Amino acid sequence: MSAMGSLSSLPFYLLCCLHVFWLLLLPSHSADPAPLQDFCVANVTASISVNGFPCKPASEVTSDDFFFDGFTKEGNTTSIFASALTPGNVLTFPGLNTLGISMNRVDFAPGGLNPPHLHPRASETGVVIKGKLLVGFVTSNNVFYSKVLTAGQMFVIPQGLVHFQLNVGEGKALAFTAFNSHLPGAVVVPINLFASSIPNEVLTKTFQVDAGVVNTIKSKFKS
């Protein structure tokens, strides 16, 4: 190759290198955007929200905006699943806005279940505070991982994977979970499938059952 040919290919080579470098940087932006100010207490009544709520004017921010007492009381576990989730996300704790963190309190009656669900926008870690929980999740390759945990033990659930917690102890159980998003979202599998407007034909073919079975399950989740 001539010297002139080598020089003419140099810009193309540099462009390819820059393109690869940009692709390598993209995963670092997959979590909530990093804030560009000390804080941005959410104005949750704002009509527009794009990757977070608009900031409340700093002159209106008070100390109470940075503290949350929602986890001080036990949740009502008389639900269909005998469990109760108390969220500490940006909707209940506006001081979390843009910070990329949130937590939940999860209470379990004996036999209580936090049903199979997934978080589309965050990975999850959790600590069992009281009782005995079976914690499990399923990978995209249908591999199931699980373990029975007791007080003080911790678990992690990768982002977007279906998971659950089941109280397998004799008494009540309590866990606190944390997320790398101020609003991780939750897709609760049975509720999304059977409390939505998905046609019966789709559900009967999906689960290979007749319409009577689908209607029976749907009746359990009517509000």
Side-chain angles (χ1 to χ4, degrees):
M1 181 181 294
S2 66
M4 183 64 70
S6 298
L7 289 174
S8 63
S9 64
L10 183 60
F12 178 76
Y13 175 78
L14 291 175
L15 182 62
C16 290
C17 290
L18 287 172
H19 184 66
V20 171
F21 180 72
W22 173 248
L23 290 176
L24 289 173
L25 286 177
L26 286 179
S28 67
H29 298 284
S30 59
D32 286 353
L36 299 179
Q37 61 282 317
D38 288 341
F39 57 80
C40 176
V41 176
N43 177 5
V44 295
T45 63
S47 59
I48 298 177
S49 173
V50 180
N51 276 353
F53 292 93
C55 305
K56 179 193 295 188
S59 60
E60 298 177 12
V61 172
T62 69
S63 293
D64 287 341
D65 288 314
F66 302 104
F67 299 92
F68 177 68
D69 63 2
F71 293 159
T72 59
K73 295 181 180 179
E74 181 178 336
N76 183 354
T77 57
T78 59
S79 67
I80 186 173
F81 297 115
S83 66
L85 186 147
T86 304
N89 57 41
V90 68
L91 299 178
T92 59
F93 188 5
L96 296 177
N97 194 43
T98 76
L99 298 183
I101 53 174
S102 59
M103 294 183 68
N104 288 338
R105 170 179 176 147
V106 191
D107 290 280
F108 301 83
L113 170 70
N114 190 7
H117 62 283
L118 62 90
H119 303 289
R121 297 185 289 274
S123 296
E124 173 182 347
T125 60
V127 176
V128 178
I129 304 300
K130 178 175 67 176
K132 183 185 295 185
L133 292 178
L134 170 64
V135 180
F137 69 91
V138 182
T139 72
S140 57
N141 293 321
N142 293 323
V143 178
F144 177 58
Y145 296 95
S146 69
K147 189 170 184 177
V148 174
L149 303 180
T150 55
Q153 294 184 301
M154 182 179 177
F155 61 88
V156 63
I157 308 294
Q159 180 173 341
L161 298 186
V162 174
H163 59 285
F164 67 87
Q165 298 99 33
L166 173 66
N167 184 359
V168 294
E170 296 182 358
K172 296 179 179 180
L174 170 64
F176 284 98
T177 57
F179 307 89
N180 61 330
S181 170
H182 67 225
L183 192 61
V187 177
V188 182
V189 176
I191 294 176
N192 274 93
L193 291 176
F194 295 102
S196 66
S197 300
I198 296 178
N200 273 20
E201 181 182 8
V202 173
L203 296 173
T204 56
K205 288 185 177 180
T206 298
F207 293 101
Q208 296 295 292
V209 296
D210 60 40
V213 173
V214 170
N215 287 329
T216 298
I217 297 174
K218 281 189 170 183
S219 69
K220 307 292 185 181
F221 295 99
K222 287 183 177 179
S223 56

Coordinates of all heavy atoms in Angstrom, one line a residue, residues 127-214:
V127 N -32.5 -7.2 52.6 CA -32.1 -7.8 53.9 C -33.3 -8.3 54.7 O -34.3 -7.5 54.8 CB -31.3 -6.7 54.7 CG1 -30.9 -7.3 56.1 CG2 -30.0 -6.3 54.0
V128 N -33.2 -9.5 55.1 CA -34.2 -10.0 56.0 C -34.0 -9.5 57.4 O -32.9 -9.6 58.0 CB -34.2 -11.6 56.0 CG1 -35.3 -12.1 56.9 CG2 -34.5 -12.1 54.6
I129 N -35.0 -8.9 58.0 CA -34.9 -8.3 59.3 C -35.5 -9.2 60.4 O -35.0 -9.3 61.5 CB -35.7 -6.9 59.4 CG1 -35.1 -6.0 58.3 CG2 -35.6 -6.3 60.8 CD1 -33.7 -5.7 58.4
K130 N -36.6 -9.9 60.0 CA -37.2 -10.8 60.9 C -37.8 -12.0 60.2 O -38.3 -11.8 59.1 CB -38.3 -10.1 61.7 CG -39.1 -10.9 62.7 CD -40.1 -10.0 63.5 CE -41.2 -9.5 62.6 NZ -42.2 -8.7 63.4
G131 N -37.8 -13.2 60.8 CA -38.5 -14.3 60.2 C -37.6 -15.1 59.3 O -36.3 -15.0 59.3
K132 N -38.3 -15.9 58.4 CA -37.6 -16.8 57.5 C -38.2 -16.7 56.1 O -39.4 -17.0 56.0 CB -37.6 -18.2 58.0 CG -36.9 -19.3 57.2 CD -37.1 -20.7 57.7 CE -36.5 -20.9 59.1 NZ -36.6 -22.3 59.6
L133 N -37.5 -16.3 55.1 CA -38.0 -16.1 53.8 C -37.3 -17.0 52.8 O -36.1 -17.1 52.7 CB -37.8 -14.7 53.3 CG -38.6 -13.6 54.0 CD1 -38.3 -12.2 53.5 CD2 -40.1 -13.8 53.9
L134 N -38.1 -17.6 51.9 CA -37.6 -18.3 50.7 C -37.6 -17.2 49.6 O -38.6 -16.7 49.2 CB -38.5 -19.4 50.3 CG -38.2 -20.0 48.9 CD1 -36.8 -20.7 48.9 CD2 -39.2 -21.1 48.5
V135 N -36.4 -16.9 49.1 CA -36.2 -15.9 48.1 C -35.7 -16.6 46.8 O -34.8 -17.4 46.9 CB -35.1 -14.8 48.5 CG1 -34.9 -13.8 47.4 CG2 -35.6 -14.2 49.8
G136 N -36.3 -16.3 45.7 CA -35.9 -16.9 44.5 C -36.1 -16.0 43.2 O -37.0 -15.1 43.3
F137 N -35.4 -16.3 42.2 CA -35.6 -15.6 40.9 C -35.3 -16.6 39.8 O -34.6 -17.6 39.9 CB -34.8 -14.3 40.8 CG -33.3 -14.5 40.7 CD1 -32.7 -14.6 39.4 CD2 -32.5 -14.6 41.8 CE1 -31.3 -14.8 39.3 CE2 -31.1 -14.7 41.7 CZ -30.5 -14.9 40.5
V138 N -35.8 -16.2 38.6 CA -35.6 -17.0 37.4 C -34.9 -16.2 36.3 O -35.3 -15.0 36.1 CB -37.0 -17.5 36.8 CG1 -36.8 -18.4 35.6 CG2 -37.8 -18.2 37.9
T139 N -33.9 -16.8 35.7 CA -33.2 -16.1 34.6 C -33.9 -16.1 33.3 O -34.9 -16.8 33.2 CB -31.8 -16.7 34.4 OG1 -31.9 -18.0 33.8 CG2 -31.0 -16.9 35.8
S140 N -33.4 -15.4 32.3 CA -34.0 -15.4 31.0 C -33.8 -16.8 30.3 O -34.5 -17.0 29.3 CB -33.4 -14.3 30.1 OG -32.0 -14.5 30.1
N141 N -33.0 -17.6 30.9 CA -32.8 -19.0 30.3 C -33.6 -20.0 31.2 O -33.3 -21.2 31.1 CB -31.3 -19.4 30.3 CG -30.5 -18.6 29.3 OD1 -31.0 -18.3 28.2 ND2 -29.3 -18.2 29.7
N142 N -34.5 -19.5 32.0 CA -35.4 -20.3 32.8 C -34.6 -21.2 33.9 O -35.0 -22.3 34.2 CB -36.2 -21.3 32.0 CG -37.2 -20.5 31.2 OD1 -37.8 -19.6 31.6 ND2 -37.5 -21.0 29.9
V143 N -33.5 -20.6 34.3 CA -32.7 -21.2 35.4 C -33.2 -20.6 36.7 O -33.3 -19.4 36.8 CB -31.2 -21.0 35.3 CG1 -30.5 -21.7 36.5 CG2 -30.7 -21.6 34.0
F144 N -33.6 -21.4 37.7 CA -34.1 -21.0 39.0 C -33.1 -21.0 40.1 O -32.4 -22.0 40.3 CB -35.3 -21.9 39.3 CG -36.0 -21.5 40.7 CD1 -36.5 -20.3 40.9 CD2 -36.1 -22.5 41.7 CE1 -37.1 -20.0 42.1 CE2 -36.6 -22.2 42.9 CZ -37.1 -20.9 43.1
Y145 N -32.9 -19.9 40.8 CA -32.0 -19.8 41.9 C -32.8 -19.4 43.1 O -33.7 -18.5 43.1 CB -31.0 -18.7 41.7 CG -30.0 -19.0 40.5 CD1 -30.2 -18.5 39.3 CD2 -28.9 -19.8 40.7 CE1 -29.4 -18.8 38.2 CE2 -28.0 -20.1 39.7 CZ -28.3 -19.6 38.4 OH -27.4 -19.9 37.4
S146 N -32.6 -20.1 44.3 CA -33.3 -19.7 45.5 C -32.6 -20.1 46.7 O -31.6 -21.0 46.7 CB -34.7 -20.5 45.5 OG -34.5 -21.9 45.6
K147 N -33.0 -19.5 47.8 CA -32.4 -19.9 49.1 C -33.3 -19.4 50.2 O -33.9 -18.4 50.1 CB -31.0 -19.3 49.3 CG -30.2 -19.8 50.5 CD -28.8 -19.3 50.5 CE -28.0 -19.9 51.6 NZ -26.6 -19.5 51.6
V148 N -33.3 -20.2 51.3 CA -34.1 -19.7 52.5 C -33.1 -18.9 53.4 O -32.0 -19.3 53.7 CB -34.6 -20.9 53.3 CG1 -35.2 -20.5 54.6 CG2 -35.6 -21.8 52.5
L149 N -33.6 -17.6 53.7 CA -32.8 -16.7 54.4 C -33.4 -16.4 55.7 O -34.7 -16.4 55.9 CB -32.7 -15.4 53.6 CG -32.1 -15.5 52.2 CD1 -32.0 -14.1 51.6 CD2 -30.7 -16.1 52.2
T150 N -32.6 -16.0 56.7 CA -33.1 -15.6 58.0 C -32.5 -14.2 58.4 O -31.8 -13.7 57.6 CB -32.6 -16.6 59.1 OG1 -31.2 -16.8 59.0 CG2 -33.3 -18.0 58.9
A151 N -32.9 -13.7 59.5 CA -32.6 -12.4 59.9 C -31.1 -12.1 59.7 O -30.2 -12.8 60.2 CB -33.0 -12.1 61.3
G152 N -30.8 -10.9 59.1 CA -29.4 -10.5 58.9 C -28.8 -10.9 57.5 O -27.8 -10.4 57.2
Q153 N -29.5 -11.8 56.8 CA -29.0 -12.3 55.5 C -29.5 -11.4 54.4 O -30.6 -10.9 54.5 CB -29.3 -13.8 55.3 CG -28.6 -14.7 56.3 CD -28.8 -16.2 56.0 OE1 -30.0 -16.6 56.0 NE2 -27.8 -16.9 55.8
M154 N -28.7 -11.3 53.3 CA -29.0 -10.4 52.2 C -29.1 -11.2 50.9 O -28.6 -12.3 50.8 CB -27.8 -9.4 52.2 CG -27.9 -8.3 51.1 SD -26.5 -7.2 51.2 CE -26.8 -6.1 49.8
F155 N -29.9 -10.6 50.0 CA -30.0 -11.2 48.7 C -29.9 -10.1 47.6 O -30.0 -8.9 47.9 CB -31.3 -11.9 48.5 CG -32.6 -11.1 48.7 CD1 -33.1 -10.4 47.6 CD2 -33.2 -10.9 49.9 CE1 -34.3 -9.6 47.8 CE2 -34.3 -10.2 50.1 CZ -34.9 -9.5 49.0
V156 N -29.7 -10.5 46.4 CA -29.7 -9.6 45.2 C -30.5 -10.2 44.1 O -30.4 -11.4 43.8 CB -28.2 -9.2 44.8 CG1 -27.5 -10.5 44.3 CG2 -28.2 -8.1 43.7
I157 N -31.2 -9.3 43.4 CA -32.0 -9.7 42.2 C -31.6 -8.8 41.0 O -31.7 -7.6 41.1 CB -33.5 -9.5 42.4 CG1 -34.0 -10.2 43.7 CG2 -34.3 -10.0 41.2 CD1 -33.9 -11.7 43.7
P158 N -31.0 -9.4 40.0 CA -30.6 -8.6 38.8 C -31.8 -8.0 38.2 O -32.9 -8.5 38.2 CB -30.0 -9.7 37.8 CG -29.5 -10.8 38.8 CD -30.6 -10.9 39.8
Q159 N -31.6 -6.8 37.5 CA -32.6 -6.0 36.9 C -33.4 -6.8 35.9 O -32.9 -7.5 35.1 CB -32.0 -4.8 36.2 CG -33.0 -3.9 35.6 CD -32.3 -2.6 35.0 OE1 -31.3 -2.3 35.4 NE2 -33.0 -2.0 34.1
G160 N -34.8 -6.7 36.0 CA -35.7 -7.2 35.0 C -36.0 -8.7 35.1 O -36.7 -9.2 34.3
L161 N -35.5 -9.4 36.2 CA -35.7 -10.8 36.3 C -36.9 -11.1 37.3 O -37.0 -10.4 38.3 CB -34.5 -11.6 36.8 CG -33.3 -11.5 35.9 CD1 -32.2 -12.4 36.4 CD2 -33.6 -11.9 34.4
V162 N -37.7 -12.0 36.9 CA -38.9 -12.4 37.8 C -38.4 -13.0 39.1 O -37.5 -13.9 39.1 CB -39.8 -13.4 37.0 CG1 -41.0 -13.8 38.0 CG2 -40.4 -12.7 35.8
H163 N -38.9 -12.5 40.2 CA -38.5 -13.0 41.5 C -39.7 -13.0 42.5 O -40.7 -12.4 42.2 CB -37.3 -12.2 42.0 CG -37.6 -10.7 42.2 ND1 -37.7 -9.9 41.1 CD2 -37.8 -10.0 43.2 CE1 -37.9 -8.7 41.5 NE2 -38.0 -8.7 42.8
F164 N -39.4 -13.5 43.7 CA -40.5 -13.6 44.7 C -39.8 -13.8 46.1 O -38.6 -14.1 46.2 CB -41.5 -14.7 44.5 CG -40.8 -16.1 44.6 CD1 -40.7 -16.7 45.9 CD2 -40.2 -16.7 43.6 CE1 -40.1 -17.9 46.0 CE2 -39.6 -18.0 43.7 CZ -39.5 -18.6 45.0
Q165 N -40.6 -13.5 47.2 CA -40.2 -13.9 48.5 C -41.4 -14.6 49.2 O -42.6 -14.0 49.1 CB -39.8 -12.7 49.3 CG -38.6 -11.9 48.8 CD -39.0 -10.7 48.0 OE1 -39.9 -10.0 48.3 NE2 -38.2 -10.4 47.0
L166 N -41.2 -15.7 49.8 CA -42.3 -16.4 50.5 C -41.9 -16.7 52.0 O -40.8 -17.1 52.3 CB -42.5 -17.8 49.8 CG -43.4 -18.8 50.5 CD1 -44.9 -18.2 50.5 CD2 -43.4 -20.1 49.8
N167 N -42.8 -16.3 52.9 CA -42.6 -16.5 54.3 C -42.7 -18.0 54.6 O -43.8 -18.6 54.6 CB -43.5 -15.7 55.1 CG -43.3 -15.8 56.6 OD1 -42.4 -16.5 57.1 ND2 -44.1 -15.1 57.4
V168 N -41.6 -18.7 54.9 CA -41.7 -20.1 55.2 C -41.5 -20.4 56.7 O -41.3 -21.6 57.1 CB -40.6 -20.9 54.4 CG1 -41.0 -20.9 52.9 CG2 -39.2 -20.4 54.6
G169 N -41.5 -19.3 57.5 CA -41.3 -19.5 58.9 C -42.7 -19.6 59.6 O -43.7 -19.6 59.0
E170 N -42.6 -19.8 60.9 CA -43.9 -20.0 61.7 C -44.6 -18.7 62.1 O -45.8 -18.7 62.3 CB -43.6 -20.8 62.9 CG -43.1 -22.2 62.7 CD -42.9 -23.0 63.9 OE1 -43.0 -22.4 65.0 OE2 -42.5 -24.2 63.8
G171 N -43.8 -17.6 62.1 CA -44.4 -16.3 62.5 C -44.3 -15.3 61.4 O -44.2 -15.6 60.2
K172 N -44.4 -14.0 61.8 CA -44.3 -12.9 60.8 C -42.9 -12.8 60.3 O -41.9 -13.3 60.9 CB -44.8 -11.6 61.4 CG -46.2 -11.6 61.8 CD -46.6 -10.2 62.5 CE -48.0 -10.2 62.9 NZ -48.4 -8.9 63.5
A173 N -42.8 -12.1 59.1 CA -41.5 -11.9 58.6 C -41.4 -10.4 58.1 O -42.5 -9.8 57.8 CB -41.1 -12.8 57.4
L174 N -40.2 -9.9 58.0 CA -40.0 -8.5 57.6 C -38.7 -8.4 56.8 O -37.7 -9.0 57.2 CB -39.9 -7.6 58.8 CG -39.5 -6.1 58.5 CD1 -40.5 -5.4 57.7 CD2 -39.3 -5.4 59.9
A175 N -38.8 -7.7 55.7 CA -37.6 -7.5 54.9 C -37.6 -6.0 54.4 O -38.6 -5.4 54.2 CB -37.5 -8.4 53.7
F176 N -36.4 -5.5 54.2 CA -36.2 -4.2 53.5 C -35.5 -4.4 52.2 O -34.4 -5.1 52.2 CB -35.5 -3.2 54.4 CG -36.3 -2.6 55.6 CD1 -36.2 -3.2 56.8 CD2 -37.1 -1.6 55.3 CE1 -37.0 -2.7 57.9 CE2 -37.9 -1.1 56.4 CZ -37.8 -1.6 57.7
T177 N -35.9 -3.8 51.2 CA -35.3 -3.9 49.9 C -34.9 -2.6 49.4 O -35.5 -1.6 49.7 CB -36.2 -4.6 48.9 OG1 -37.5 -3.8 48.7 CG2 -36.6 -6.0 49.3
A178 N -33.8 -2.6 48.5 CA -33.3 -1.3 48.0 C -33.0 -1.4 46.5 O -32.8 -2.5 46.0 CB -32.0 -0.9 48.7
F179 N -33.1 -0.3 45.8 CA -33.0 -0.3 44.4 C -32.1 0.9 43.9 O -32.0 1.9 44.5 CB -34.4 -0.1 43.8 CG -35.5 -1.0 44.3 CD1 -36.2 -0.7 45.4 CD2 -35.7 -2.2 43.6 CE1 -37.1 -1.6 45.9 CE2 -36.6 -3.1 44.1 CZ -37.3 -2.8 45.2
N180 N -31.5 0.7 42.7 CA -30.7 1.7 42.1 C -31.5 2.5 41.1 O -31.1 2.9 40.0 CB -29.5 1.1 41.4 CG -29.8 0.2 40.3 OD1 -30.9 -0.5 40.3 ND2 -28.9 0.1 39.3
S181 N -32.7 2.9 41.6 CA -33.5 3.8 40.8 C -34.5 4.5 41.8 O -34.9 3.9 42.8 CB -34.4 3.1 39.8 OG -35.4 3.9 39.2
H182 N -34.8 5.8 41.5 CA -35.7 6.4 42.4 C -37.2 6.0 42.2 O -38.1 6.3 42.9 CB -35.6 8.0 42.4 CG -35.9 8.6 41.1 ND1 -35.2 9.6 40.5 CD2 -37.0 8.5 40.3 CE1 -35.7 10.0 39.4 NE2 -36.9 9.3 39.2
L183 N -37.4 5.3 41.0 CA -38.7 4.8 40.7 C -38.6 3.5 39.9 O -38.7 3.5 38.7 CB -39.5 5.8 39.9 CG -41.0 5.5 39.8 CD1 -41.7 5.5 41.1 CD2 -41.7 6.6 38.9
P184 N -38.2 2.4 40.6 CA -37.9 1.1 39.9 C -39.0 0.5 39.1 O -38.8 -0.2 38.1 CB -37.4 0.2 41.0 CG -38.1 0.7 42.2 CD -38.1 2.2 42.0
G185 N -40.3 0.8 39.5 CA -41.4 0.2 38.8 C -41.6 -1.3 39.2 O -40.6 -1.9 39.7
A186 N -42.7 -1.8 39.1 CA -43.0 -3.2 39.4 C -44.0 -3.8 38.5 O -45.1 -3.2 38.3 CB -43.4 -3.4 40.9
V187 N -43.7 -4.9 37.9 CA -44.7 -5.7 37.1 C -45.0 -6.9 37.8 O -44.2 -7.9 37.9 CB -44.0 -6.0 35.7 CG1 -45.0 -6.9 34.9 CG2 -43.7 -4.8 34.9
V188 N -46.2 -6.9 38.5 CA -46.6 -8.1 39.3 C -47.3 -9.1 38.3 O -48.4 -8.8 37.8 CB -47.5 -7.7 40.4 CG1 -47.9 -8.9 41.3 CG2 -46.9 -6.6 41.3
V189 N -46.7 -10.2 38.1 CA -47.1 -11.1 37.0 C -48.5 -11.5 37.1 O -49.3 -11.3 36.1 CB -46.2 -12.4 37.0 CG1 -46.6 -13.4 36.0 CG2 -44.7 -12.0 36.7
P190 N -49.1 -12.1 38.2 CA -50.5 -12.5 38.2 C -51.4 -11.3 38.0 O -52.5 -11.5 37.3 CB -50.6 -13.1 39.6 CG -49.6 -12.6 40.4 CD -48.4 -12.4 39.5
I191 N -51.1 -10.2 38.6 CA -52.0 -9.0 38.4 C -52.0 -8.5 37.0 O -53.0 -8.2 36.4 CB -51.7 -7.9 39.5 CG1 -51.9 -8.5 40.9 CG2 -52.4 -6.7 39.2 CD1 -51.5 -7.5 42.0
N192 N -50.8 -8.4 36.4 CA -50.7 -7.9 35.1 C -51.4 -8.8 34.1 O -52.0 -8.4 33.1 CB -49.2 -7.8 34.6 CG -48.6 -6.5 35.0 OD1 -48.0 -6.3 36.1 ND2 -48.8 -5.4 34.2
L193 N -51.4 -10.1 34.3 CA -52.0 -11.1 33.4 C -53.5 -11.2 33.6 O -54.3 -11.2 32.7 CB -51.4 -12.4 33.6 CG -49.9 -12.6 33.1 CD1 -49.4 -14.0 33.4 CD2 -49.9 -12.3 31.6
F194 N -54.0 -11.2 34.9 CA -55.3 -11.6 35.2 C -56.2 -10.4 35.7 O -57.4 -10.6 35.9 CB -55.4 -12.8 36.2 CG -54.8 -14.0 35.6 CD1 -53.5 -14.4 35.9 CD2 -55.5 -14.8 34.6 CE1 -53.0 -15.6 35.4 CE2 -55.0 -15.9 34.1 CZ -53.7 -16.3 34.5
A195 N -55.6 -9.3 35.9 CA -56.4 -8.1 36.3 C -56.4 -7.0 35.3 O -56.8 -5.9 35.5 CB -55.9 -7.6 37.7
S196 N -55.9 -7.4 34.1 CA -55.8 -6.4 33.0 C -56.9 -6.8 31.9 O -57.7 -7.7 32.2 CB -54.4 -6.4 32.4 OG -54.2 -7.7 31.8
S197 N -56.8 -6.2 30.8 CA -57.7 -6.4 29.7 C -57.2 -7.4 28.6 O -57.7 -7.4 27.5 CB -58.2 -5.1 29.1 OG -58.7 -4.2 30.0
I198 N -56.2 -8.2 29.0 CA -55.7 -9.2 28.0 C -56.9 -10.1 27.7 O -57.6 -10.7 28.6 CB -54.6 -10.0 28.6 CG1 -53.4 -9.1 28.9 CG2 -54.1 -11.1 27.7 CD1 -52.2 -9.7 29.5
P199 N -57.1 -10.4 26.4 CA -58.3 -11.2 26.0 C -58.1 -12.6 26.5 O -57.0 -13.2 26.6 CB -58.2 -11.2 24.5 CG -57.4 -10.0 24.1 CD -56.5 -9.8 25.2
N200 N -59.3 -13.3 26.9 CA -59.2 -14.6 27.4 C -58.6 -15.6 26.4 O -57.9 -16.5 26.8 CB -60.7 -15.1 27.7 CG -61.1 -14.7 29.1 OD1 -60.5 -13.8 29.7 ND2 -62.1 -15.4 29.6
E201 N -58.8 -15.3 25.1 CA -58.2 -16.2 24.1 C -56.7 -16.3 24.2 O -56.1 -17.3 24.0 CB -58.6 -15.7 22.7 CG -58.1 -16.6 21.6 CD -58.4 -16.1 20.2 OE1 -58.9 -14.9 20.1 OE2 -58.1 -16.8 19.2
V202 N -56.1 -15.1 24.5 CA -54.6 -15.1 24.7 C -54.2 -15.9 25.9 O -53.2 -16.7 25.8 CB -54.1 -13.6 24.8 CG1 -52.6 -13.6 25.1 CG2 -54.4 -12.9 23.5
L203 N -54.9 -15.7 27.0 CA -54.6 -16.4 28.2 C -54.8 -17.9 28.1 O -54.1 -18.8 28.6 CB -55.4 -15.8 29.4 CG -55.0 -14.4 29.7 CD1 -55.9 -13.8 30.8 CD2 -53.6 -14.2 30.1
T204 N -55.9 -18.3 27.5 CA -56.2 -19.8 27.4 C -55.2 -20.5 26.5 O -54.7 -21.6 26.8 CB -57.6 -20.0 26.8 OG1 -57.7 -19.3 25.5 CG2 -58.7 -19.5 27.7
K205 N -54.7 -19.8 25.4 CA -53.7 -20.4 24.6 C -52.3 -20.4 25.3 O -51.5 -21.3 25.1 CB -53.6 -19.7 23.3 CG -54.8 -19.9 22.4 CD -54.7 -19.3 21.0 CE -55.9 -19.6 20.1 NZ -55.7 -19.0 18.7
T206 N -52.1 -19.3 26.0 CA -50.8 -19.2 26.7 C -50.6 -20.3 27.7 O -49.6 -21.0 27.8 CB -50.7 -17.8 27.4 OG1 -50.7 -16.8 26.4 CG2 -49.4 -17.7 28.2
F207 N -51.7 -20.5 28.6 CA -51.6 -21.5 29.7 C -52.2 -22.9 29.3 O -52.2 -23.8 30.2 CB -52.2 -20.9 30.9 CG -51.5 -19.7 31.5 CD1 -52.0 -18.4 31.2 CD2 -50.3 -19.9 32.2 CE1 -51.3 -17.3 31.7 CE2 -49.7 -18.8 32.7 CZ -50.2 -17.5 32.5
Q208 N -52.7 -23.0 28.1 CA -53.2 -24.3 27.6 C -54.3 -24.8 28.6 O -54.3 -25.9 29.0 CB -52.1 -25.3 27.5 CG -51.1 -25.0 26.4 CD -51.6 -25.0 25.0 OE1 -52.0 -26.0 24.5 NE2 -51.7 -23.8 24.4
V209 N -55.2 -23.9 28.9 CA -56.4 -24.2 29.7 C -57.6 -23.7 29.1 O -57.6 -22.9 28.1 CB -56.3 -23.6 31.1 CG1 -55.0 -24.3 31.9 CG2 -56.1 -22.1 31.1
D210 N -58.8 -24.1 29.6 CA -60.0 -23.6 29.0 C -60.4 -22.2 29.6 O -59.9 -21.8 30.6 CB -61.2 -24.6 29.0 CG -61.5 -25.0 30.5 OD1 -61.5 -24.1 31.4 OD2 -61.8 -26.2 30.7
A211 N -61.4 -21.6 29.0 CA -61.9 -20.3 29.5 C -62.4 -20.3 30.9 O -62.2 -19.3 31.6 CB -62.9 -19.7 28.6
G212 N -62.9 -21.4 31.4 CA -63.4 -21.5 32.7 C -62.3 -21.3 33.8 O -62.5 -20.6 34.8
V213 N -61.2 -21.9 33.5 CA -60.0 -21.8 34.4 C -59.6 -20.3 34.5 O -59.3 -19.7 35.5 CB -58.9 -22.7 34.0 CG1 -57.6 -22.4 34.8 CG2 -59.3 -24.1 34.1
V214 N -59.5 -19.7 33.3 CA -59.0 -18.3 33.2 C -60.0 -17.4 34.0 O -59.6 -16.5 34.7 CB -58.9 -17.8 31.8 CG1 -58.7 -16.3 31.7 CG2 -57.7 -18.5 31.1

